[in-house]
């Protein structure tokens, strides 16, 4: 295929600015990303690269806007697209009252297929080109999502939830069935195109010892796969888990016992951890997923980023939406809420660090930093174009940034959301362009 060039203000990271300083950010004010056969073949100064393009190369001109690697969401539940914004409950009650009833509907493959398509549209509208996704207990829910992601040529990691207790009968598997279904899905989908499988015991509160053992076994038997679960999210959840595993001194010890801590294991939330739990996460290279909008919405608690950066036991970190406990699909809005969660604890999160996390940082958390997360030759050409003047209020505030890129990025994390996503590219092809104006809802209903 002939090359395509995408022109704009390029921004990406060669390293973590928290460690390497501002020089880790590489910005080219008038730059071009040249894409061929789905990969980046060159990225740099437009003045230089324009001369090298074959005649007739199509150029998408986004000058005045930022071109970055596609955003990465490391923890999100696609069956919860209708659970988002459910009123008035904390985690365990929220699961029972809203989430479990909705997830039972995914026994129907047609329902799953429709929700999968909606979900992926929504990710792309928000500039998210890679996500790590919880499906439901039904293998068909994962089938539906993988099929839809394959059709769109996405890089996506997903897994069927394993849960064999403390949920309605329509949402339970068994240790044996959960193992067999996960293994069949791994055989069918892991490593196919850009798809990957993540072994997904929902959380220790909904899995028996036998099932956690099976999950640990799957992780060991399929070292290219990932594992995801929830850990130390809310006080009520922690008490329930410790009640179910009376031999455990901590929540983390439950997973540790079954070999679930690893460099490919992603733990949602990790809010109320004791020192020895952080130490085990650190020693095993496990990843703590910071999900700020969810933690605020469900009243779960405040993620302690500083505690993950202690030099004697650093914990790898990622950032995620956790829709539908989370309240926004936008990784920009998620970073903005993350900033506030850290403010509440007297911690800072400079915009360069937030944008690093949204791109290369999250790619590193997944061990995919050789494939996605940078604008460099050989990387997959998943891109997002961000408009820092997306709304009148943003445009007005942008004037005060006076060309300061760090301030412009901070404006984007503080005020940005899907409206700031001018375009999204998957493997070099545009898959979303922001429409000119939002459609009006037909009705907002009555007070019932
Ligand atoms: N813990 C177990 N299941 C869930 C879930 O679906 N969402 C959140 N936020 N926490 C969980
Ligand atoms: Zn979650």
């Amino acid at each position: 295929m002939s090359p395509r060039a995408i022109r704009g203000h390029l921004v990406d990271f060669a390293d973590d600015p928290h460690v390497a300083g501002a020089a880790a950010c590489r910005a080219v004010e008038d730059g071009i990303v040249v894409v061929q056969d789905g990969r980046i073949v060159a990225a740099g100064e437009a003045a230089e690269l324009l001369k090298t393009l074959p005649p007739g190369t199509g150029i998408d001109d986004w000058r005045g806007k930022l071109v970055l690697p596609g955003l990465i969401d490391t923890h999100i539940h696609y069956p919860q697209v209708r659970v988002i914004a459910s009123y008035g409950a904390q985690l365990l009650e929220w699961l029972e009252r809203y989430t479990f009833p909705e997830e039972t509907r995914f026994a129907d493959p047609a329902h799953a297929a429709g929700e999968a398509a909606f979900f992926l549209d929504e990710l792309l509208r928000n500039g998210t080109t890679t996500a790590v996704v919880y499906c439901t207990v039904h293998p068909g829910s994962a089938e539906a999502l993988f099929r839809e992601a394959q059709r769109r040529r996405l890089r996506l990691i997903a897994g069927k939830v394993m849960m064999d207790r403390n949920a309605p009968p329509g949402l339970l598997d068994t240790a044996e069935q959960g193992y067999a279904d996960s293994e069949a899905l791994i055989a069918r989908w892991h490593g196919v195109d850009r798809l990957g499988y993540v072994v997904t015991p929902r959380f220790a509160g909904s899995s028996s010892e036998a099932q956690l053992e099976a999950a640990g076994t799957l992780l060991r038997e399929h070292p290219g796969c990932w594992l995801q679960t929830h850990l130390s999210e809310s006080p009520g959840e922690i008490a329930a888990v410790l009640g179910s595993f009376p031999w455990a001194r901590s929540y983390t010890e439950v997973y540790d016992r079954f070999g679930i801590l690893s460099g490919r294991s992603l733990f949602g939330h990790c809010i109320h951890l004791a020192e020895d739990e952080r130490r085990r996460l650190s020693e095993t290279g496990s990843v703590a997923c910071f999900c700020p909008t969810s933690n605020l919405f469900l009243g779960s608690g405040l993620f302690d980023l500083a505690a993950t950066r202690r030099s004697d036991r650093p914990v790898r970190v990622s950032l995620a939406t956790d829709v539908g406990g989370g309240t926004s699909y936008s990784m920009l809005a998620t970073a903005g809420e993350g900033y506030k969660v850290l403010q509440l604890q007297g911690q800072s999160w400079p915009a360069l660090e937030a944008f690093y996390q949204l791109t290369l940082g999250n790619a590193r958390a997944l061990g995919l930093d050789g494939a996605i997360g940078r604008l460099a030759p050989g990387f997959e050409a998943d891109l997002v174009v961000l408009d820092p003047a997306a709304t009148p209020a943003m445009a007005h505030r942008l004037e005060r940034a006076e060309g300061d890129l760090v301030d412009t990025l901070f404006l984007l994390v503080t005020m940005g959301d899907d409206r700031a996503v001018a375009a999204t590219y998957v493997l070099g092809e545009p898959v979303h362009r922001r429409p000119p104006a939002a459609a009006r809802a037909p009705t907002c209903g009555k007070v019932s």
Side-chain angles (χ1 to χ4, degrees), residues 230-246:
H230 297 84
L231 170 61
S232 200
E233 181 174 0
S234 79
E237 169 226 25
I238 295 166
V241 167
L242 293 179
S244 300
F245 299 89

Side-chain angles (χ1 to χ4, degrees), residues 1-8 10 31-46 48-54 57-59 67 375-381 383 427-428:
M1 263 173 76
S2 50
R4 177 196 287 270
I6 296 142
R7 185 171 188 178
L10 311 187
I32 281 187
V33 181
V34 185
V35 174
Q36 188 154 26
D37 298 326
R39 294 203 176 249
I40 296 171
V41 293
E45 295 286 349
E48 298 298 317
L49 289 175
L50 281 174
K51 292 184 245 164
T52 69
L53 296 178
T57 301
I59 300 179
V67 176
L375 304 178
F379 278 69
E380 295 165 12
L383 309 171
L427 292 178

